[in-house]
Amino acid sequence: MFPRTLGLIFWMAVAAITGYWMNPTTGPVLGAFFVCLFTVIKDLWKGQKIAKWLRHNNVQDPPEMGGIWGDLIDRMRRILNEQRKQTQNEQQRLQDFLLAIQASPNGVVLLDPEGRIEWCNQTAAQHLGMDAKRDLMQHVVHLVRDPVFKKYLTSDGHEGEVVIDGRSASLQKTVKLSVQLHSYGESRQLLLTRDVTAVAHADAMRRDFVANVSHEIRTPLTVMSGFIETLQSLQLDAEERDKYLGLMAVQAERMQDLVNDLLILSQLEGSTLPSTNDPVSLDGLMAGIESEARGLSMAQLRSGEEPQILHFESSPGVQLLGASKELHSAVANLVNNAVRYTPAGGLISALWTLLPDQRIQFSVVDTGPGIASEHLPRLTERFYRVDRSRSRESGGTGLGLAITKHVMQRHGGELKIESELGKGSRFILIFPASRVSTQAH
Ligand code: ADP
């Protein structure tokens, strides 16, 4: 500033002296005036050039100027550059933030004070059946018409959460959503959605399970307490007494079987996966299962009936790597079922086959009543029975196949069921090659 002022005074002095030389009366004033005018016009022209540069917002290409104007342009360019970088950084952060919310497994919707959708992520759009772009600024109640949600939205304080049906729910597929509202900023609201289908399903299953267990235990208990009352109130002879005590023993055994199977299931759920370092000899396993099955077959044989024909075949020298108790339950459940459901004189054949890809397969085939195809997918559900009275009569708990399936999952194997009504059944277990050892130990 100082050199520029000095420069202006110098040129005014030069012009005044030149003017005096040309006309001593008006020359100095006119000379100084013209210098001032020239300086003002030059500055106006430069100012306009700078204004044009700023208008076009081309920070990278500033007009070339020296002196105070050049200095000014340089400072402005630096400020503008910094602002631009800051804006870019903020935009990047906003983008990252939105991408993070997009990646969230939960739905997020931002509502304005009138309840209109300002922004929502894809998950929320999918949960609530909205279009993340098209439905912006739509009122949320026009899109989510569930009365429970409407009531929750209009309630004071939006306490807790509500569970509503998701938009992709259908008769075959239920989708349950947990919805929560939180206030933020100036009367804005954050709507969070979470898919709780699995939790709701697990909850329903737990409730069903408790109801089923209670029912299964109550039935033998009721029968037993009836017998106890009879024994207490009636004078019975020794023979009748023995008969009642025998019937009570059957009910007690039923409860015991049920509790045993429940314990097996809870152990399967709570324990770590079976190791692959414990070899279980198929010969040993099958010897135990065969004698159990033959005993069961004899026990259920009534006088005059033809005995069942049982055929067992092991795979000599083969060992399964896994938990021996679990493997015993899985296989024994299938063999015992075949014995229990096959009528007298029927054929039951159980055999192990080493498959070419080193997996091993166990199959038990019977000539029993067979199972209609609609029941097959549900057989491994807990307490699912095709014929309740037949199952109970033969001492079934309704948990056998559930246990077998669970054991197979824990050993990386699978359970397959093939059956046709009236033509018998075939239950197959397939163990992966990693659970098979053919070396002698
Ligand atoms: P349960 O203790 O009732 O036998 P399971 O889970 O072992 O329970 O079997 C479930 C149902 O599958 C049985 O109730 C029965 O109806 C059917 N089932 C199982 N094995 C056979 C079979 N070999 N033949 C016919 N039905 C069978």
Side-chain angles (χ1 to χ4, degrees), residues 156-228:
D156 289 334
H158 313 308
E159 288 282 310
E161 59 182 336
V162 285
V163 175
I164 61 169
D165 283 335
R167 274 300 274 274
S168 48
S170 63
L171 271 181
Q172 290 81 31
K173 189 175 153 238
T174 52
V175 176
K176 293 279 172 204
L177 292 180
S178 150
V179 177
Q180 267 181 305
L181 271 168
H182 298 278
S183 301
Y184 77 98
E186 286 172 12
S187 310
R188 291 193 141 71
Q189 305 207 74
L190 177 69
L191 174 72
L192 299 175
T193 62
R194 192 161 48 94
D195 189 336
V196 291
T197 314
V199 181
H201 183 63
D203 240 26
M205 273 183 43
R206 187 184 49 76
R207 276 195 304 272
D208 282 357
F209 184 67
V210 172
N212 274 323
V213 170
S214 315
H215 177 76
E216 294 290 332
I217 290 182
R218 200 180 53 194
T219 315
L221 266 181
T222 315
V223 178
M224 273 174 83
S225 52
F227 288 143
I228 292 170

Coordinates of all heavy atoms in Angstrom, one line a residue, residues 156-228:
D156 N -47.3 -40.3 22.3 CA -46.4 -39.3 22.9 C -45.1 -40.1 23.3 O -45.2 -41.1 24.0 CB -47.0 -38.7 24.1 CG -48.0 -37.7 23.7 OD1 -48.0 -37.2 22.6 OD2 -48.9 -37.4 24.6
G157 N -44.0 -39.6 23.0 CA -42.7 -40.2 23.5 C -42.3 -41.4 22.8 O -41.1 -41.8 23.0
H158 N -43.1 -42.1 22.0 CA -42.8 -43.3 21.3 C -42.0 -44.3 22.2 O -40.9 -44.6 21.9 CB -42.0 -43.0 20.1 CG -42.5 -41.9 19.2 ND1 -43.8 -41.9 18.8 CD2 -41.9 -40.8 18.8 CE1 -44.0 -40.8 18.1 NE2 -42.9 -40.1 18.1
E159 N -42.7 -44.7 23.3 CA -42.0 -45.6 24.2 C -41.7 -47.0 23.6 O -42.6 -47.5 22.9 CB -43.0 -45.9 25.4 CG -43.1 -44.7 26.3 CD -41.9 -44.5 27.3 OE1 -41.6 -45.5 27.9 OE2 -41.3 -43.4 27.4
G160 N -40.5 -47.5 23.8 CA -40.2 -48.8 23.4 C -40.2 -49.0 21.9 O -39.8 -48.1 21.1
E161 N -40.7 -50.2 21.5 CA -40.7 -50.5 20.1 C -42.0 -51.3 19.8 O -42.6 -51.8 20.7 CB -39.5 -51.4 19.7 CG -39.4 -52.7 20.5 CD -38.2 -53.5 20.1 OE1 -37.6 -53.4 19.1 OE2 -37.9 -54.4 21.0
V162 N -42.3 -51.3 18.5 CA -43.5 -52.1 18.1 C -43.1 -53.1 17.0 O -42.1 -52.9 16.3 CB -44.7 -51.3 17.6 CG1 -45.4 -50.6 18.6 CG2 -44.2 -50.4 16.4
V163 N -43.8 -54.3 17.0 CA -43.5 -55.3 16.0 C -44.6 -55.3 15.0 O -45.8 -55.4 15.4 CB -43.3 -56.7 16.6 CG1 -43.1 -57.7 15.5 CG2 -42.1 -56.6 17.6
I164 N -44.3 -55.1 13.7 CA -45.3 -55.1 12.6 C -44.9 -56.1 11.6 O -43.8 -56.6 11.6 CB -45.5 -53.7 12.0 CG1 -44.1 -53.2 11.4 CG2 -45.9 -52.7 13.0 CD1 -44.3 -52.0 10.5
D165 N -45.9 -56.4 10.7 CA -45.5 -57.3 9.5 C -44.8 -56.5 8.5 O -45.1 -55.4 8.2 CB -46.8 -57.8 8.9 CG -47.5 -58.9 9.8 OD1 -46.7 -59.5 10.5 OD2 -48.7 -59.1 9.7
G166 N -43.7 -57.1 8.0 CA -42.9 -56.5 6.9 C -43.7 -56.5 5.6 O -44.6 -57.3 5.5
R167 N -43.3 -55.6 4.7 CA -44.1 -55.6 3.4 C -43.9 -56.8 2.6 O -44.7 -57.1 1.8 CB -43.7 -54.3 2.7 CG -44.4 -53.1 3.1 CD -45.9 -53.2 2.9 NE -46.3 -52.9 1.5 CZ -46.6 -51.7 1.1 NH1 -46.6 -50.7 2.0 NH2 -46.9 -51.4 -0.1
S168 N -42.7 -57.5 2.8 CA -42.5 -58.7 1.9 C -43.1 -59.9 2.5 O -42.9 -61.0 2.0 CB -41.0 -58.9 1.7 OG -40.3 -58.8 2.9
A169 N -43.9 -59.7 3.6 CA -44.6 -60.9 4.2 C -45.7 -61.4 3.3 O -46.3 -60.7 2.5 CB -45.2 -60.5 5.5
S170 N -45.8 -62.7 3.3 CA -46.9 -63.3 2.5 C -47.5 -64.5 3.3 O -47.0 -64.7 4.4 CB -46.4 -63.8 1.2 OG -45.4 -64.8 1.4
L171 N -48.4 -65.2 2.7 CA -49.0 -66.3 3.5 C -48.0 -67.3 3.8 O -48.0 -67.9 4.8 CB -50.2 -66.9 2.6 CG -51.5 -66.2 2.9 CD1 -52.6 -66.9 2.0 CD2 -51.9 -66.3 4.3
Q172 N -47.1 -67.6 2.8 CA -46.1 -68.6 3.0 C -44.9 -68.1 3.9 O -44.3 -68.8 4.6 CB -45.4 -69.0 1.7 CG -46.3 -69.8 0.7 CD -47.3 -68.9 0.0 OE1 -46.9 -67.8 -0.3 NE2 -48.5 -69.4 -0.3
K173 N -44.7 -66.8 3.8 CA -43.5 -66.3 4.4 C -43.8 -65.1 5.3 O -44.3 -64.1 4.9 CB -42.5 -65.8 3.3 CG -41.1 -65.4 3.8 CD -40.3 -65.1 2.6 CE -39.2 -64.2 3.0 NZ -39.2 -62.9 2.3
T174 N -43.6 -65.3 6.6 CA -43.9 -64.1 7.5 C -42.6 -63.3 7.7 O -41.6 -63.9 7.9 CB -44.5 -64.6 8.9 OG1 -43.5 -65.5 9.4 CG2 -45.8 -65.2 8.8
V175 N -42.8 -62.0 7.7 CA -41.6 -61.2 8.0 C -42.0 -60.3 9.1 O -43.0 -59.5 9.0 CB -41.2 -60.4 6.8 CG1 -40.0 -59.4 7.1 CG2 -40.7 -61.3 5.6
K176 N -41.3 -60.3 10.2 CA -41.7 -59.5 11.4 C -40.6 -58.4 11.5 O -39.4 -58.7 11.5 CB -41.7 -60.3 12.7 CG -42.8 -61.3 12.7 CD -44.2 -60.7 13.1 CE -45.3 -61.6 12.9 NZ -46.6 -60.9 12.7
L177 N -41.1 -57.2 11.7 CA -40.2 -56.0 11.8 C -40.4 -55.4 13.2 O -41.5 -55.2 13.6 CB -40.5 -55.0 10.8 CG -40.2 -55.3 9.3 CD1 -40.6 -54.1 8.5 CD2 -38.8 -55.7 9.1
S178 N -39.2 -55.1 13.8 CA -39.3 -54.3 15.0 C -39.1 -52.8 14.6 O -38.1 -52.5 13.8 CB -38.2 -54.7 16.0 OG -37.8 -53.6 16.8
V179 N -39.9 -51.9 15.0 CA -39.8 -50.5 14.6 C -39.7 -49.6 15.8 O -40.4 -49.8 16.8 CB -41.1 -50.1 13.8 CG1 -41.1 -48.7 13.4 CG2 -41.3 -51.0 12.6
Q180 N -38.7 -48.7 15.7 CA -38.5 -47.8 16.8 C -38.4 -46.4 16.3 O -37.8 -46.2 15.2 CB -37.1 -48.2 17.5 CG -37.2 -49.1 18.6 CD -35.8 -49.4 19.2 OE1 -34.9 -49.8 18.4 NE2 -35.6 -49.2 20.4
L181 N -38.9 -45.4 17.1 CA -38.8 -44.0 16.7 C -38.0 -43.3 17.7 O -38.2 -43.5 18.9 CB -40.2 -43.4 16.6 CG -40.9 -43.5 15.3 CD1 -42.4 -43.1 15.5 CD2 -40.3 -42.7 14.2
H182 N -37.1 -42.4 17.3 CA -36.3 -41.6 18.2 C -36.4 -40.2 17.7 O -36.2 -39.9 16.5 CB -34.9 -42.0 18.3 CG -34.7 -43.4 18.8 ND1 -34.7 -43.8 20.1 CD2 -34.6 -44.6 18.1 CE1 -34.6 -45.1 20.2 NE2 -34.5 -45.6 19.0
S183 N -36.6 -39.2 18.6 CA -36.6 -37.8 18.2 C -35.2 -37.3 18.2 O -34.4 -37.7 19.0 CB -37.4 -37.0 19.2 OG -38.7 -37.5 19.3
Y184 N -35.0 -36.4 17.2 CA -33.6 -35.7 17.2 C -33.8 -34.3 16.5 O -34.9 -34.1 15.9 CB -32.6 -36.6 16.4 CG -32.8 -36.5 14.9 CD1 -32.0 -35.7 14.1 CD2 -33.7 -37.3 14.3 CE1 -32.1 -35.7 12.8 CE2 -33.9 -37.3 12.9 CZ -33.0 -36.5 12.2 OH -33.2 -36.4 10.8
G185 N -32.8 -33.5 16.7 CA -32.8 -32.2 16.1 C -34.1 -31.4 16.4 O -34.6 -31.6 17.5
E186 N -34.5 -30.6 15.5 CA -35.7 -29.8 15.7 C -37.0 -30.6 15.2 O -37.3 -30.5 14.1 CB -35.6 -28.5 15.0 CG -34.6 -27.5 15.7 CD -34.4 -26.3 14.8 OE1 -35.1 -26.0 13.9 OE2 -33.4 -25.6 15.2
S187 N -37.6 -31.3 16.2 CA -38.8 -32.1 15.9 C -38.7 -33.1 14.8 O -39.6 -33.5 14.2 CB -40.0 -31.2 15.6 OG -40.1 -30.2 16.5
R188 N -37.4 -33.5 14.5 CA -37.2 -34.5 13.4 C -37.3 -35.9 14.1 O -37.1 -36.0 15.3 CB -35.9 -34.3 12.7 CG -35.8 -33.1 11.9 CD -34.6 -33.2 11.0 NE -34.9 -32.7 9.7 CZ -35.2 -31.4 9.4 NH1 -35.1 -30.5 10.4 NH2 -35.4 -31.0 8.2
Q189 N -37.5 -36.9 13.3 CA -37.6 -38.3 13.9 C -36.7 -39.3 13.1 O -36.7 -39.2 11.9 CB -39.0 -38.7 13.9 CG -39.9 -37.7 14.6 CD -41.1 -38.4 15.2 OE1 -41.0 -39.1 16.2 NE2 -42.2 -38.2 14.6
L190 N -36.1 -40.1 13.9 CA -35.3 -41.2 13.3 C -36.1 -42.5 13.5 O -36.5 -42.9 14.6 CB -34.0 -41.3 14.1 CG -33.0 -42.4 13.7 CD1 -32.4 -42.1 12.3 CD2 -31.9 -42.5 14.7
L191 N -36.4 -43.1 12.3 CA -37.2 -44.4 12.4 C -36.2 -45.5 12.1 O -35.6 -45.6 11.0 CB -38.3 -44.3 11.3 CG -39.1 -45.5 11.0 CD1 -40.1 -45.7 12.2 CD2 -39.9 -45.4 9.8
L192 N -36.1 -46.5 13.0 CA -35.2 -47.6 12.8 C -36.1 -48.9 12.7 O -37.0 -49.1 13.4 CB -34.3 -47.8 14.1 CG -33.4 -46.6 14.4 CD1 -32.7 -46.8 15.7 CD2 -32.4 -46.4 13.2
T193 N -35.7 -49.7 11.7 CA -36.4 -51.0 11.5 C -35.4 -52.1 11.6 O -34.3 -52.0 11.2 CB -37.1 -51.0 10.1 OG1 -36.1 -51.0 9.1 CG2 -38.1 -49.9 9.9
R194 N -35.9 -53.2 12.2 CA -35.0 -54.4 12.3 C -35.8 -55.7 12.0 O -36.9 -55.8 12.5 CB -34.5 -54.4 13.8 CG -33.4 -55.4 14.1 CD -32.7 -54.9 15.4 NE -33.7 -54.7 16.5 CZ -34.1 -55.6 17.4 NH1 -33.6 -56.8 17.3 NH2 -35.0 -55.3 18.3
D195 N -35.2 -56.5 11.2 CA -35.9 -57.8 10.9 C -35.8 -58.7 12.1 O -34.7 -59.2 12.4 CB -35.2 -58.4 9.7 CG -36.0 -59.6 9.1 OD1 -36.8 -60.2 9.9 OD2 -35.9 -59.9 7.9
V196 N -36.9 -59.0 12.7 CA -36.9 -59.9 13.9 C -37.7 -61.2 13.6 O -38.1 -61.8 14.5 CB -37.5 -59.1 15.2 CG1 -36.6 -58.0 15.6 CG2 -38.9 -58.6 14.9
T197 N -37.7 -61.5 12.3 CA -38.5 -62.7 12.0 C -37.9 -64.0 12.7 O -38.6 -64.8 13.3 CB -38.4 -63.0 10.4 OG1 -38.6 -61.7 9.8 CG2 -39.4 -64.0 10.0
A198 N -36.5 -64.0 12.7 CA -35.9 -65.2 13.3 C -36.1 -65.3 14.8 O -36.4 -66.3 15.3 CB -34.4 -65.2 13.0
V199 N -36.1 -64.1 15.4 CA -36.3 -64.0 16.8 C -37.8 -64.4 17.2 O -38.0 -65.2 18.1 CB -36.0 -62.6 17.4 CG1 -36.2 -62.5 18.9 CG2 -34.6 -62.1 17.0
A200 N -38.7 -63.8 16.4 CA -40.1 -64.1 16.6 C -40.4 -65.6 16.4 O -41.1 -66.2 17.1 CB -41.0 -63.3 15.6
H201 N -39.7 -66.2 15.4 CA -39.9 -67.6 15.1 C -39.3 -68.4 16.2 O -40.0 -69.4 16.7 CB -39.1 -67.9 13.8 CG -39.3 -69.3 13.3 ND1 -40.5 -69.8 12.9 CD2 -38.4 -70.3 13.2 CE1 -40.3 -71.1 12.6 NE2 -39.1 -71.4 12.7
A202 N -38.1 -68.0 16.7 CA -37.5 -68.8 17.8 C -38.4 -68.7 19.1 O -38.5 -69.7 19.8 CB -36.1 -68.2 18.1
D203 N -39.0 -67.5 19.2 CA -39.9 -67.3 20.4 C -41.1 -68.2 20.3 O -41.5 -68.9 21.3 CB -40.4 -65.9 20.3 CG -39.9 -65.1 21.6 OD1 -38.9 -65.5 22.2 OD2 -40.6 -64.2 21.9
A204 N -41.7 -68.3 19.1 CA -42.9 -69.1 18.9 C -42.5 -70.6 19.1 O -43.2 -71.4 19.7 CB -43.4 -68.9 17.5
M205 N -41.3 -70.9 18.6 CA -40.8 -72.3 18.7 C -40.6 -72.7 20.2 O -41.0 -73.8 20.6 CB -39.5 -72.6 18.0 CG -39.8 -72.9 16.5 SD -38.5 -73.3 15.5 CE -37.4 -74.3 16.5
R206 N -40.1 -71.7 20.9 CA -39.8 -72.0 22.4 C -41.2 -72.2 23.1 O -41.3 -73.1 23.9 CB -39.1 -70.8 23.0 CG -38.6 -71.0 24.4 CD -37.9 -69.7 24.9 NE -38.7 -68.5 24.7 CZ -39.8 -68.2 25.4 NH1 -40.2 -68.9 26.4 NH2 -40.4 -67.1 25.1
R207 N -42.1 -71.3 22.8 CA -43.5 -71.4 23.4 C -44.1 -72.8 23.1 O -44.6 -73.5 23.9 CB -44.4 -70.3 22.9 CG -44.2 -69.0 23.7 CD -45.3 -68.1 23.5 NE -45.5 -67.8 22.0 CZ -44.9 -66.8 21.4 NH1 -44.1 -66.0 22.0 NH2 -45.1 -66.6 20.1
D208 N -44.0 -73.1 21.8 CA -44.6 -74.4 21.3 C -43.9 -75.6 22.1 O -44.5 -76.5 22.5 CB -44.3 -74.6 19.8 CG -45.3 -73.8 19.0 OD1 -46.2 -73.2 19.6 OD2 -45.2 -73.9 17.8
F209 N -42.6 -75.4 22.2 CA -41.8 -76.5 22.8 C -42.2 -76.7 24.3 O -42.5 -77.8 24.7 CB -40.3 -76.2 22.7 CG -39.4 -77.2 23.2 CD1 -39.3 -78.5 22.6 CD2 -38.7 -77.0 24.4 CE1 -38.5 -79.5 23.1 CE2 -37.8 -78.0 24.9 CZ -37.8 -79.2 24.2
V210 N -42.3 -75.6 25.0 CA -42.7 -75.7 26.4 C -44.1 -76.3 26.5 O -44.4 -77.1 27.3 CB -42.7 -74.3 27.1 CG1 -43.3 -74.3 28.5 CG2 -41.2 -73.8 27.1
A211 N -45.0 -75.8 25.6 CA -46.4 -76.3 25.6 C -46.4 -77.8 25.3 O -47.1 -78.6 26.0 CB -47.3 -75.6 24.6
N212 N -45.6 -78.2 24.4 CA -45.5 -79.7 24.0 C -45.0 -80.5 25.1 O -45.5 -81.6 25.5 CB -44.6 -79.9 22.8 CG -45.4 -79.7 21.5 OD1 -46.5 -80.0 21.4 ND2 -44.8 -79.1 20.5
V213 N -43.9 -80.0 25.8 CA -43.3 -80.8 26.9 C -44.3 -80.9 28.0 O -44.5 -82.0 28.5 CB -42.0 -80.1 27.3 CG1 -41.5 -80.8 28.6 CG2 -40.9 -80.2 26.3
S214 N -44.9 -79.8 28.3 CA -45.9 -79.9 29.4 C -47.0 -80.9 29.1 O -47.4 -81.7 30.0 CB -46.6 -78.5 29.6 OG -45.6 -77.5 29.6
H215 N -47.5 -80.8 27.8 CA -48.5 -81.8 27.5 C -48.0 -83.2 27.5 O -48.7 -84.1 28.1 CB -49.0 -81.4 26.0 CG -50.0 -82.4 25.5 ND1 -51.3 -82.3 25.9 CD2 -49.9 -83.4 24.7 CE1 -52.0 -83.3 25.3 NE2 -51.1 -83.9 24.6
E216 N -46.8 -83.5 27.1 CA -46.3 -84.8 27.0 C -46.1 -85.4 28.5 O -46.3 -86.5 28.7 CB -44.9 -84.9 26.3 CG -45.0 -84.5 24.9 CD -45.6 -85.6 24.0 OE1 -45.5 -86.8 24.5 OE2 -46.2 -85.3 23.0
I217 N -45.8 -84.5 29.4 CA -45.5 -84.9 30.8 C -46.9 -85.0 31.5 O -47.1 -85.9 32.3 CB -44.6 -84.0 31.5 CG1 -43.2 -84.2 30.9 CG2 -44.5 -84.2 33.0 CD1 -42.1 -83.4 31.5
R218 N -47.8 -84.1 31.2 CA -49.1 -84.1 31.9 C -49.9 -85.4 31.6 O -50.5 -86.0 32.5 CB -49.9 -82.9 31.4 CG -51.0 -82.6 32.5 CD -51.8 -81.4 32.0 NE -52.3 -81.6 30.7 CZ -52.8 -80.7 30.0 NH1 -52.9 -79.5 30.4 NH2 -53.3 -80.9 28.8
T219 N -49.8 -85.9 30.4 CA -50.6 -87.1 30.0 C -50.2 -88.3 30.9 O -51.1 -88.8 31.6 CB -50.4 -87.4 28.5 OG1 -50.6 -86.2 27.8 CG2 -51.5 -88.4 28.1
P220 N -48.9 -88.7 31.0 CA -48.6 -89.9 31.9 C -48.9 -89.6 33.4 O -49.3 -90.4 34.1 CB -47.2 -90.2 31.6 CG -46.6 -89.1 30.9 CD -47.8 -88.3 30.2
L221 N -48.7 -88.3 33.7 CA -48.9 -87.9 35.1 C -50.4 -88.1 35.5 O -50.7 -88.6 36.6 CB -48.5 -86.4 35.3 CG -47.1 -86.2 35.8 CD1 -46.8 -84.7 36.0 CD2 -46.8 -87.0 37.1
T222 N -51.3 -87.6 34.6 CA -52.7 -87.8 34.8 C -53.1 -89.2 35.0 O -53.8 -89.6 35.9 CB -53.5 -87.1 33.7 OG1 -52.9 -85.9 33.3 CG2 -54.9 -87.0 34.0
V223 N -52.5 -90.1 34.1 CA -52.8 -91.5 34.2 C -52.3 -92.0 35.5 O -53.1 -92.8 36.2 CB -52.2 -92.2 33.0 CG1 -52.4 -93.7 33.1 CG2 -52.7 -91.7 31.6
M224 N -51.1 -91.7 35.9 CA -50.5 -92.2 37.1 C -51.3 -91.8 38.3 O -51.6 -92.6 39.2 CB -49.1 -91.8 37.3 CG -48.1 -92.7 36.6 SD -46.5 -92.1 36.6 CE -45.9 -92.6 38.1
S225 N -51.7 -90.5 38.4 CA -52.4 -90.0 39.5 C -53.8 -90.7 39.6 O -54.3 -91.0 40.7 CB -52.5 -88.5 39.6 OG -53.0 -88.0 38.5
G226 N -54.4 -91.1 38.5 CA -55.6 -91.8 38.5 C -55.4 -93.2 39.1 O -56.2 -93.6 40.0
F227 N -54.3 -93.8 38.7 CA -54.1 -95.2 39.3 C -53.8 -95.0 40.8 O -54.2 -95.9 41.6 CB -52.8 -95.8 38.6 CG -53.1 -96.3 37.2 CD1 -52.2 -96.2 36.2 CD2 -54.4 -96.8 36.9 CE1 -52.4 -96.6 34.9 CE2 -54.6 -97.3 35.6 CZ -53.6 -97.2 34.6
I228 N -53.1 -94.0 41.2 CA -52.8 -93.8 42.6 C -54.1 -93.7 43.4 O -54.3 -94.3 44.5 CB -51.8 -92.6 42.8 CG1 -50.4 -93.0 42.3 CG2 -51.7 -92.3 44.3 CD1 -49.5 -91.8 42.2

